[in-house]
Amino acid sequence: MESRQNHLPVWTNRCYAYASRQEVLRMEAEPGFYSLLPIKFRDFGLRSGGALTAERTKTVTVRGQQETQHTTLRLEPLLYRCAKKLYDTAAGRLLTAYPALEAVTIGPQRQTGAYELLWRYPVAEIEAAQRALMAEILDEGFTLEEELALSCTKRGGERFLSVNGALKLTPKSLRALMRRPPEEQLHRPLKRAVSFSFADCEQYYLPFPEDRLELGNQFRAYASTQARNADAFSAARSGDFELLCKLAKNGYELNAIGRDGASVFGIFACGLLQQYRGGKLPRFALQKLDELIFLGANPALYGVSRRVTAPLACAADCDLPDAVAYFLNKGVSPDIYPVIQPVGGGESLLAMIRARSGDPAYPNAAEIAALLEAAE
């Protein structure tokens, strides 16, 4: 068996994807998208998270007539709104103070498959400046006002009420308020010129260590490498082996990773494997894979994604024991996750295949599980 140092997976169960495919599109479309700041704004997983929403429907009597009333409520803690606005304001000033902040260049692909990101400014310097700007804005007298508004539309025998606002209440108190009728909610007097301290807002700010910040921004590298190797990605998707070899010999990257986390080689290999699902991989198909690996393809590379296109995982999923053995003999580690969740973890490849044992749709599951166990 070849040394596994030659074919290491990029990320396994230690993967944390801090950006989504949708955010990649925003990065390309909006130059001011603050994707590179060392301190991230967050609301996921916090008790005092963002907007609280609720919908309810009931029958009401209006002027002797029964009507169906649909009520939509969307209220958020004023602290959340303040922390978000403070973050955005500071980020805008930071881009003014550091005009080349977005000018991050992409270096070579490392042994792990990650692309090296070359920062124009030291990350520690940017983090300190980001904190200082937020504190400075608060010192300038940064305040917000409570808001609460009700709108109503009527169509046929249905009424649609919408309540929106931001109040200086805890999420628990907001939920209690939302349980009351909309008319009662509007009786609450609103506070003006509400201010919060940086310590109040800080629960919404998450500083990333430099390595995590870099991992999250692999998506930016993917967008760039995909554009640079567009012809190779196209050839891989169409299964054009001859063209793919020609492009590889002319400088295109078989290990380039695209927006969906799949490498050029991974896309081609998985397309090839899926043609023989549940059968046997012909010798000429293995020869194609050999040729691409000879030209520099790494069969274990895949990137951050909710759906990983990893050749070994694909071979196992297609119930192809000979293909699984092929990739294991190339030194590909079986310790991969076919689907990586945004917060990491997921079902291991071996666990997924074991669960299929005895299923007539996967007659080779037990043989593949044995191969994976032996390689661990």
Side-chain angles (χ1 to χ4, degrees), residues 170-211:
T170 64
K172 182 178 180 180
S173 297
L174 273 181
R175 290 189 184 94
L177 182 66
M178 292 170 74
R179 287 192 288 268
R180 294 159 64 180
E183 307 79 45
E184 292 185 21
Q185 296 176 25
L186 296 179
H187 291 161
R188 185 182 187 281
L190 301 180
K191 296 182 174 66
R192 307 295 179 186
V194 179
S195 62
F196 296 96
S197 68
F198 183 74
D200 292 331
C201 299
E202 200 166 15
Q203 63 180 297
Y204 292 99
Y205 307 142
L206 177 66
F208 284 169
E210 195 168 348
D211 59 339

Short mmCIF file of all heavy atoms in Angstrom, two decimals, residues 170-211:
data_model
loop_
_atom_site.label_atom_id
_atom_site.label_comp_id
_atom_site.label_asym_id
_atom_site.label_seq_id
_atom_site.Cartn_x
_atom_site.Cartn_y
_atom_site.Cartn_z
N THR A 170 -35.55 40.80 27.25
CA THR A 170 -34.85 39.53 27.07
C THR A 170 -35.70 38.65 26.17
O THR A 170 -36.91 38.85 26.03
CB THR A 170 -34.65 38.82 28.41
OG1 THR A 170 -35.94 38.48 28.95
CG2 THR A 170 -33.89 39.72 29.40
N PRO A 171 -35.09 37.65 25.53
CA PRO A 171 -35.89 36.72 24.71
C PRO A 171 -37.05 36.11 25.48
O PRO A 171 -38.14 35.93 24.93
CB PRO A 171 -34.87 35.68 24.27
CG PRO A 171 -33.58 36.42 24.26
CD PRO A 171 -33.65 37.36 25.43
N LYS A 172 -36.84 35.79 26.76
CA LYS A 172 -37.91 35.21 27.56
C LYS A 172 -39.08 36.17 27.69
O LYS A 172 -40.25 35.78 27.53
CB LYS A 172 -37.36 34.82 28.94
CG LYS A 172 -38.40 34.16 29.84
CD LYS A 172 -37.78 33.76 31.17
CE LYS A 172 -38.83 33.10 32.08
NZ LYS A 172 -38.24 32.72 33.39
N SER A 173 -38.78 37.44 27.96
CA SER A 173 -39.83 38.44 28.09
C SER A 173 -40.51 38.70 26.75
O SER A 173 -41.72 38.94 26.70
CB SER A 173 -39.26 39.75 28.65
OG SER A 173 -38.74 39.55 29.95
N LEU A 174 -39.72 38.66 25.66
CA LEU A 174 -40.30 38.84 24.34
C LEU A 174 -41.28 37.73 24.02
O LEU A 174 -42.37 37.97 23.47
CB LEU A 174 -39.20 38.88 23.28
CG LEU A 174 -38.54 40.22 22.97
CD1 LEU A 174 -37.50 40.04 21.88
CD2 LEU A 174 -39.57 41.26 22.56
N ARG A 175 -40.92 36.50 24.35
CA ARG A 175 -41.82 35.38 24.09
C ARG A 175 -43.12 35.52 24.86
O ARG A 175 -44.21 35.21 24.35
CB ARG A 175 -41.13 34.06 24.44
CG ARG A 175 -39.99 33.69 23.49
CD ARG A 175 -39.49 32.27 23.76
NE ARG A 175 -38.35 31.97 22.91
CZ ARG A 175 -37.09 32.13 23.29
NH1 ARG A 175 -36.81 32.59 24.49
NH2 ARG A 175 -36.09 31.83 22.47
N ALA A 176 -43.02 36.00 26.11
CA ALA A 176 -44.22 36.20 26.91
C ALA A 176 -45.10 37.27 26.28
O ALA A 176 -46.33 37.14 26.23
CB ALA A 176 -43.84 36.59 28.33
N LEU A 177 -44.47 38.34 25.78
CA LEU A 177 -45.22 39.41 25.13
C LEU A 177 -45.90 38.91 23.86
O LEU A 177 -47.04 39.29 23.56
CB LEU A 177 -44.28 40.58 24.80
CG LEU A 177 -44.93 41.80 24.15
CD1 LEU A 177 -45.89 42.48 25.12
CD2 LEU A 177 -43.85 42.79 23.69
N MET A 178 -45.22 38.06 23.13
CA MET A 178 -45.76 37.56 21.86
C MET A 178 -46.98 36.66 22.07
O MET A 178 -47.77 36.46 21.16
CB MET A 178 -44.67 36.80 21.09
CG MET A 178 -43.57 37.70 20.58
SD MET A 178 -42.14 36.80 19.92
CE MET A 178 -42.79 36.22 18.36
N ARG A 179 -47.14 36.13 23.27
CA ARG A 179 -48.30 35.29 23.55
C ARG A 179 -49.57 36.11 23.79
O ARG A 179 -50.67 35.57 23.78
CB ARG A 179 -48.03 34.38 24.76
CG ARG A 179 -47.06 33.24 24.44
CD ARG A 179 -47.05 32.20 25.55
NE ARG A 179 -46.37 32.70 26.75
CZ ARG A 179 -45.08 32.53 26.99
NH1 ARG A 179 -44.32 31.88 26.13
NH2 ARG A 179 -44.54 33.00 28.10
N ARG A 180 -49.39 37.40 24.00
CA ARG A 180 -50.53 38.28 24.24
C ARG A 180 -51.12 38.75 22.91
O ARG A 180 -50.45 38.71 21.87
CB ARG A 180 -50.10 39.47 25.10
CG ARG A 180 -49.67 39.03 26.50
CD ARG A 180 -48.80 40.04 27.19
NE ARG A 180 -49.49 41.30 27.44
CZ ARG A 180 -48.91 42.34 28.05
NH1 ARG A 180 -47.65 42.25 28.45
NH2 ARG A 180 -49.59 43.45 28.25
N PRO A 181 -52.39 39.19 22.89
CA PRO A 181 -52.99 39.68 21.65
C PRO A 181 -52.21 40.86 21.08
O PRO A 181 -51.63 41.65 21.84
CB PRO A 181 -54.41 40.09 22.08
CG PRO A 181 -54.66 39.33 23.33
CD PRO A 181 -53.34 39.19 24.01
N PRO A 182 -52.16 41.02 19.75
CA PRO A 182 -51.41 42.14 19.15
C PRO A 182 -51.82 43.51 19.67
O PRO A 182 -50.98 44.39 19.85
CB PRO A 182 -51.75 41.99 17.64
CG PRO A 182 -52.08 40.55 17.48
CD PRO A 182 -52.75 40.13 18.74
N GLU A 183 -53.13 43.68 19.97
CA GLU A 183 -53.58 44.99 20.45
C GLU A 183 -52.94 45.34 21.79
O GLU A 183 -52.58 46.48 22.05
CB GLU A 183 -55.10 45.00 20.59
CG GLU A 183 -55.88 44.55 19.34
CD GLU A 183 -55.91 43.04 19.17
OE1 GLU A 183 -56.15 42.31 20.15
OE2 GLU A 183 -55.66 42.59 18.04
N GLU A 184 -52.75 44.31 22.64
CA GLU A 184 -52.12 44.55 23.94
C GLU A 184 -50.62 44.83 23.78
O GLU A 184 -50.06 45.62 24.54
CB GLU A 184 -52.33 43.34 24.85
CG GLU A 184 -53.78 43.12 25.28
CD GLU A 184 -53.90 42.00 26.28
OE1 GLU A 184 -52.88 41.66 26.92
OE2 GLU A 184 -55.00 41.43 26.41
N GLN A 185 -50.00 44.20 22.81
CA GLN A 185 -48.57 44.42 22.59
C GLN A 185 -48.29 45.89 22.27
O GLN A 185 -47.29 46.46 22.69
CB GLN A 185 -48.05 43.53 21.46
CG GLN A 185 -48.14 42.04 21.75
CD GLN A 185 -47.71 41.20 20.58
OE1 GLN A 185 -46.93 41.64 19.75
NE2 GLN A 185 -48.21 39.98 20.50
N LEU A 186 -49.19 46.51 21.52
CA LEU A 186 -48.97 47.88 21.09
C LEU A 186 -49.16 48.90 22.21
O LEU A 186 -48.81 50.06 22.06
CB LEU A 186 -49.92 48.22 19.93
CG LEU A 186 -49.70 47.41 18.64
CD1 LEU A 186 -50.71 47.81 17.59
CD2 LEU A 186 -48.29 47.60 18.12
N HIS A 187 -49.72 48.48 23.35
CA HIS A 187 -49.92 49.40 24.46
C HIS A 187 -48.63 49.68 25.22
O HIS A 187 -48.59 50.57 26.06
CB HIS A 187 -50.97 48.84 25.43
CG HIS A 187 -52.35 48.82 24.83
ND1 HIS A 187 -53.37 48.02 25.33
CD2 HIS A 187 -52.88 49.49 23.77
CE1 HIS A 187 -54.46 48.21 24.61
NE2 HIS A 187 -54.18 49.08 23.65
N ARG A 188 -47.58 48.91 24.94
CA ARG A 188 -46.32 49.09 25.67
C ARG A 188 -45.66 50.40 25.26
O ARG A 188 -45.40 50.63 24.07
CB ARG A 188 -45.37 47.92 25.36
CG ARG A 188 -44.09 47.94 26.16
CD ARG A 188 -43.19 46.78 25.75
NE ARG A 188 -42.03 46.68 26.60
CZ ARG A 188 -40.95 47.44 26.49
NH1 ARG A 188 -40.91 48.37 25.55
NH2 ARG A 188 -39.93 47.29 27.30
N PRO A 189 -45.33 51.31 26.22
CA PRO A 189 -44.62 52.56 25.87
C PRO A 189 -43.21 52.24 25.38
O PRO A 189 -42.52 51.39 25.95
CB PRO A 189 -44.61 53.34 27.18
CG PRO A 189 -44.76 52.30 28.25
CD PRO A 189 -45.61 51.22 27.66
N LEU A 190 -42.78 52.91 24.34
CA LEU A 190 -41.47 52.64 23.74
C LEU A 190 -40.38 53.51 24.32
O LEU A 190 -40.59 54.71 24.58
CB LEU A 190 -41.56 52.84 22.22
CG LEU A 190 -42.57 51.96 21.48
CD1 LEU A 190 -42.55 52.26 19.99
CD2 LEU A 190 -42.30 50.48 21.73
N LYS A 191 -39.21 52.92 24.51
CA LYS A 191 -38.05 53.65 25.06
C LYS A 191 -37.27 54.30 23.92
O LYS A 191 -37.15 53.76 22.83
CB LYS A 191 -37.14 52.69 25.83
CG LYS A 191 -37.77 52.07 27.07
CD LYS A 191 -36.76 51.18 27.78
CE LYS A 191 -37.31 50.65 29.10
NZ LYS A 191 -38.44 49.75 28.90
N ARG A 192 -36.72 55.47 24.20
CA ARG A 192 -35.93 56.21 23.23
C ARG A 192 -34.48 56.26 23.68
O ARG A 192 -34.17 56.16 24.86
CB ARG A 192 -36.47 57.64 23.07
CG ARG A 192 -37.97 57.71 22.76
CD ARG A 192 -38.28 57.10 21.42
NE ARG A 192 -39.71 57.14 21.10
CZ ARG A 192 -40.26 56.58 20.05
NH1 ARG A 192 -39.51 55.91 19.20
NH2 ARG A 192 -41.57 56.66 19.84
N ALA A 193 -33.58 56.46 22.73
CA ALA A 193 -32.15 56.64 23.00
C ALA A 193 -31.61 55.57 23.95
O ALA A 193 -31.01 55.86 24.98
CB ALA A 193 -31.89 58.04 23.57
N VAL A 194 -31.83 54.33 23.57
CA VAL A 194 -31.34 53.21 24.39
C VAL A 194 -29.89 52.92 24.02
O VAL A 194 -29.54 52.83 22.85
CB VAL A 194 -32.20 51.95 24.16
CG1 VAL A 194 -31.68 50.79 25.00
CG2 VAL A 194 -33.66 52.24 24.50
N SER A 195 -29.05 52.77 25.02
CA SER A 195 -27.64 52.48 24.77
C SER A 195 -27.25 51.18 25.46
O SER A 195 -27.85 50.77 26.45
CB SER A 195 -26.75 53.62 25.27
OG SER A 195 -26.89 53.78 26.67
N PHE A 196 -26.23 50.52 24.90
CA PHE A 196 -25.68 49.30 25.48
C PHE A 196 -24.17 49.44 25.55
O PHE A 196 -23.56 50.21 24.81
CB PHE A 196 -26.05 48.08 24.64
CG PHE A 196 -27.53 47.80 24.57
CD1 PHE A 196 -28.29 48.26 23.50
CD2 PHE A 196 -28.15 47.06 25.57
CE1 PHE A 196 -29.64 47.99 23.42
CE2 PHE A 196 -29.51 46.79 25.50
CZ PHE A 196 -30.26 47.26 24.43
N SER A 197 -23.55 48.66 26.43
CA SER A 197 -22.10 48.66 26.53
C SER A 197 -21.51 47.63 25.57
O SER A 197 -22.22 46.76 25.06
CB SER A 197 -21.67 48.33 27.97
OG SER A 197 -22.00 46.98 28.27
N PHE A 198 -20.21 47.73 25.35
CA PHE A 198 -19.54 46.75 24.50
C PHE A 198 -19.63 45.36 25.13
O PHE A 198 -19.78 44.36 24.44
CB PHE A 198 -18.08 47.14 24.28
CG PHE A 198 -17.35 46.20 23.36
CD1 PHE A 198 -17.59 46.22 21.99
CD2 PHE A 198 -16.43 45.29 23.85
CE1 PHE A 198 -16.93 45.35 21.14
CE2 PHE A 198 -15.77 44.41 23.00
CZ PHE A 198 -16.03 44.45 21.64
N ALA A 199 -19.57 45.31 26.48
CA ALA A 199 -19.68 44.03 27.18
C ALA A 199 -21.04 43.39 26.91
O ALA A 199 -21.15 42.17 26.80
CB ALA A 199 -19.46 44.23 28.67
N ASP A 200 -22.10 44.21 26.81
CA ASP A 200 -23.43 43.69 26.49
C ASP A 200 -23.45 43.05 25.10
O ASP A 200 -24.00 41.97 24.90
CB ASP A 200 -24.47 44.82 26.52
CG ASP A 200 -24.71 45.37 27.92
OD1 ASP A 200 -24.55 44.60 28.89
OD2 ASP A 200 -25.03 46.57 28.04
N CYS A 201 -22.83 43.75 24.14
CA CYS A 201 -22.87 43.31 22.74
C CYS A 201 -21.93 42.15 22.46
O CYS A 201 -22.11 41.42 21.49
CB CYS A 201 -22.51 44.47 21.82
SG CYS A 201 -23.63 45.89 21.92
N GLU A 202 -20.94 41.97 23.32
CA GLU A 202 -19.83 41.06 23.00
C GLU A 202 -20.27 39.61 22.86
O GLU A 202 -19.59 38.81 22.20
CB GLU A 202 -18.74 41.17 24.06
CG GLU A 202 -17.40 40.66 23.60
CD GLU A 202 -16.27 41.09 24.51
OE1 GLU A 202 -16.56 41.52 25.64
OE2 GLU A 202 -15.11 40.99 24.09
N GLN A 203 -21.41 39.23 23.44
CA GLN A 203 -21.85 37.85 23.31
C GLN A 203 -22.17 37.49 21.86
O GLN A 203 -22.21 36.31 21.50
CB GLN A 203 -23.09 37.61 24.18
CG GLN A 203 -24.29 38.44 23.77
CD GLN A 203 -25.48 38.18 24.66
OE1 GLN A 203 -25.99 37.06 24.70
NE2 GLN A 203 -25.92 39.19 25.39
N TYR A 204 -22.36 38.51 21.03
CA TYR A 204 -22.65 38.27 19.62
C TYR A 204 -21.39 38.26 18.75
O TYR A 204 -21.49 38.08 17.55
CB TYR A 204 -23.60 39.36 19.09
CG TYR A 204 -24.97 39.28 19.69
CD1 TYR A 204 -25.33 40.10 20.75
CD2 TYR A 204 -25.91 38.36 19.22
CE1 TYR A 204 -26.60 40.03 21.31
CE2 TYR A 204 -27.18 38.28 19.77
CZ TYR A 204 -27.52 39.12 20.82
OH TYR A 204 -28.77 39.03 21.37
N TYR A 205 -20.23 38.44 19.36
CA TYR A 205 -18.99 38.50 18.59
C TYR A 205 -18.13 37.29 18.92
O TYR A 205 -17.88 37.00 20.08
CB TYR A 205 -18.22 39.79 18.88
CG TYR A 205 -19.06 41.03 18.72
CD1 TYR A 205 -18.93 42.11 19.59
CD2 TYR A 205 -20.00 41.13 17.70
CE1 TYR A 205 -19.70 43.25 19.44
CE2 TYR A 205 -20.78 42.26 17.55
CZ TYR A 205 -20.63 43.32 18.43
OH TYR A 205 -21.41 44.44 18.28
N LEU A 206 -17.67 36.62 17.89
CA LEU A 206 -16.86 35.42 18.07
C LEU A 206 -15.53 35.60 17.38
O LEU A 206 -15.46 35.61 16.15
CB LEU A 206 -17.58 34.20 17.48
CG LEU A 206 -16.82 32.88 17.53
CD1 LEU A 206 -16.64 32.44 18.98
CD2 LEU A 206 -17.55 31.81 16.75
N PRO A 207 -14.45 35.78 18.16
CA PRO A 207 -13.13 35.88 17.52
C PRO A 207 -12.66 34.50 17.09
O PRO A 207 -12.68 33.55 17.87
CB PRO A 207 -12.23 36.46 18.62
CG PRO A 207 -12.90 36.05 19.89
CD PRO A 207 -14.38 35.96 19.61
N PHE A 208 -12.23 34.37 15.84
CA PHE A 208 -11.73 33.11 15.32
C PHE A 208 -10.22 33.07 15.40
O PHE A 208 -9.56 34.04 15.02
CB PHE A 208 -12.12 32.94 13.85
CG PHE A 208 -13.56 32.58 13.63
CD1 PHE A 208 -14.09 32.61 12.37
CD2 PHE A 208 -14.37 32.21 14.68
CE1 PHE A 208 -15.42 32.27 12.15
CE2 PHE A 208 -15.69 31.87 14.48
CZ PHE A 208 -16.21 31.91 13.21
N PRO A 209 -9.65 31.97 15.85
CA PRO A 209 -8.20 31.80 15.74
C PRO A 209 -7.81 31.87 14.26
O PRO A 209 -8.63 31.62 13.37
CB PRO A 209 -7.94 30.41 16.31
CG PRO A 209 -9.15 30.11 17.14
CD PRO A 209 -10.29 30.81 16.48
N GLU A 210 -6.59 32.19 14.00
CA GLU A 210 -6.15 32.40 12.63
C GLU A 210 -6.40 31.19 11.74
O GLU A 210 -6.80 31.32 10.59
CB GLU A 210 -4.66 32.76 12.62
CG GLU A 210 -4.18 33.34 11.32
CD GLU A 210 -2.80 33.95 11.43
OE1 GLU A 210 -2.31 34.11 12.57
OE2 GLU A 210 -2.21 34.25 10.39
N ASP A 211 -6.19 29.98 12.29
CA ASP A 211 -6.38 28.80 11.45
C ASP A 211 -7.85 28.59 11.12
O ASP A 211 -8.20 28.21 10.00
CB ASP A 211 -5.81 27.55 12.14
CG ASP A 211 -6.45 27.27 13.49
OD1 ASP A 211 -7.02 28.21 14.08
OD2 ASP A 211 -6.38 26.12 13.95
#
